[in-house]
Amino acid sequence: MILQPNAKINLGLNVVRKRPDGYHDLETVFYPIPLFDKLEVNYAERVGEDSYSLHLDGHALDSSSDDNLVVKALKLLKEEGYKFGSVDINLSKIIPSGAGLGGGSSDASFMLKALNELFELNISVGNLELYAAKLGADCAIFIQNKPVYAEGIGNIFKDIELDLTGYYLVVIKPDIFISTKAAFSQIKPKYPETSLLDIIKRPVEDWKCSMHNDFEDSVFPQFPEIAALKQKLYDYGAIYASMSGSGSSLFGIFKENVDLNYAFPTCFYTCLKL
């Protein structure tokens, strides 16, 4: 079985409240984009219920196989009492890691869906979302894999009508790592004056003046080169540009197809038709 776990971007991200458990409540819009990893999951002829093999290639990953989210997804279903046999897993990483694009989260959720289908586990969509949320805050969005407004830690969803079909999306990722601690270090939680639910109903051309990612307030002073890259996207004609998640990737929405690879020579770069 071959699947294509896709990335996401955050259209706006408001950090609204610090929770008693130390986490933060957010408001954001998750939008799936056609940037894909490749995940292959096949039956394996090995003895032992918990037996698996994992082969990784593509973008380098710092974690060990046991720490990889696709393996954690497999182990979670075992812990929840589901019985299934051994598998061979091949994961080709195209989506940059540590970019705020949800690549690892997507891999994990697609792994849950693959095992559910491959072994006919009959897990409902609702339960798949619950299991995905245990693996990471934004994993659950990839179960139904559609644009949603999200609250809580990114795990409470509300359906929205948003379609960016026909636009072009430039995604860049500089070779900069932003730790979670650094991303939150200068955040001052606050509720926005205008809800994202209202902003996304406006023309995309209006988003520049009304939609914001609060992590930019923390990240840009520490990494001014990332702020400069966002401005560069606007300089080349983006009608809306933003950092995705807590970075370090950025994206720009364009009305027409553009080839700006030359403009970002030190970055991961792709231009996608939505």
Side-chain angles (χ1 to χ4, degrees):
M1 176 182 293
I2 298 176
L3 302 94
Q4 290 184 298
N6 59 275
K8 58 80 179 172
I9 54 173
N10 294 83
L11 296 172
L13 197 162
N14 303 311
V15 183
V16 299
R17 184 175 72 94
K18 188 168 184 179
R19 298 154 51 107
D21 60 9
Y23 289 92
H24 289 76
D25 281 331
L26 313 172
E27 294 179 353
T28 189
V29 171
F30 290 115
Y31 196 91
I33 63 172
L35 175 61
F36 304 100
D37 286 342
K38 179 180 177 182
L39 176 65
E40 184 175 0
V41 186
N42 294 310
Y43 297 107
E45 297 296 331
R46 283 193 301 275
V47 176
E49 267 192 7
D50 297 318
S51 181
Y52 69 89
S53 68
L54 173 64
H55 175 73
L56 297 170
D57 60 50
H59 286 292
L61 296 171
D62 294 330
S63 61
S64 67
S65 293
D66 286 344
D67 291 330
N68 191 283
L69 279 169
V70 298
V71 173
K72 289 185 175 182
L74 182 151
K75 291 182 176 180
L76 174 63
L77 291 186
K78 293 282 189 179
E79 291 166 1
E80 294 290 337
Y82 294 96
K83 304 294 184 182
F84 51 90
S86 301
V87 290
D88 289 328
I89 309 163
N90 292 284
L91 177 61
S92 296
K93 290 296 297 177
I94 306 299
I95 303 168
S97 301
L101 296 171
S105 298
S106 184
D107 296 338
S109 290
F110 274 74
M111 184 66 177
L112 293 175
K113 292 190 284 187
L115 293 171
N116 190 37
E117 182 177 347
L118 192 66
F119 292 102
E120 299 180 348
L121 301 178
N122 298 315
I123 306 172
S124 68
V125 169
N127 281 334
L128 283 172
E129 288 184 339
L130 290 174
Y131 296 145
K134 291 182 179 183
L135 296 168
D138 60 356
C139 289
I141 65 163
F142 294 103
I143 296 299
Q144 297 194 60
N145 207 23
K146 61 184 181 180
V148 291
Y149 171 78
E151 295 180 315
I153 59 172
N155 62 334
I156 302 171
F157 307 136
K158 180 175 183 177
D159 289 342
I160 56 174
E161 292 185 9
L162 178 62
D163 186 359
L164 297 178
T165 300
Y167 287 99
Y168 291 84
L169 187 78
V170 168
V171 179
I172 58 175
K173 198 273 182 184
D175 189 18
I176 298 172
F177 171 76
I178 300 172
S179 68
T180 302
K181 182 178 180 181
F184 276 100
S185 63
Q186 298 178 40
I187 288 288
K188 297 179 180 178
K190 62 184 184 301
Y191 283 88
E193 294 182 5
T194 306
S195 170
L196 284 171
L197 287 171
D198 293 325
I199 293 174
I200 60 172
K201 296 176 183 177
R202 301 173 182 175
V204 178
E205 292 84 351
D206 293 349
W207 290 358
K208 180 179 179 180
C209 298
S210 54
M211 190 182 290
H212 185 63
N213 181 341
D214 285 351
F215 281 114
E216 293 180 2
D217 298 336
S218 178
V219 170
F220 284 2
Q222 300 178 72
F223 303 95
E225 58 270 48
I226 300 179
L229 289 171
K230 177 182 174 180
Q231 182 57 50
K232 202 171 182 180
L233 287 167
Y234 277 125
D235 291 343
Y236 280 99
I239 55 175
Y240 177 68
S242 177
M243 194 168 70
S244 185
S246 57
S248 59
S249 70
L250 301 110
F251 64 88
I253 299 175
F254 292 78
K255 287 185 175 181
E256 298 179 353
N257 192 10
V258 291
D259 183 3
L260 301 177
N261 198 17
Y262 70 92
F264 304 97
T266 62
C267 297
F268 167 91
Y269 172 91
T270 188
C271 182
L272 309 166
K273 186 174 182 180
L274 297 177

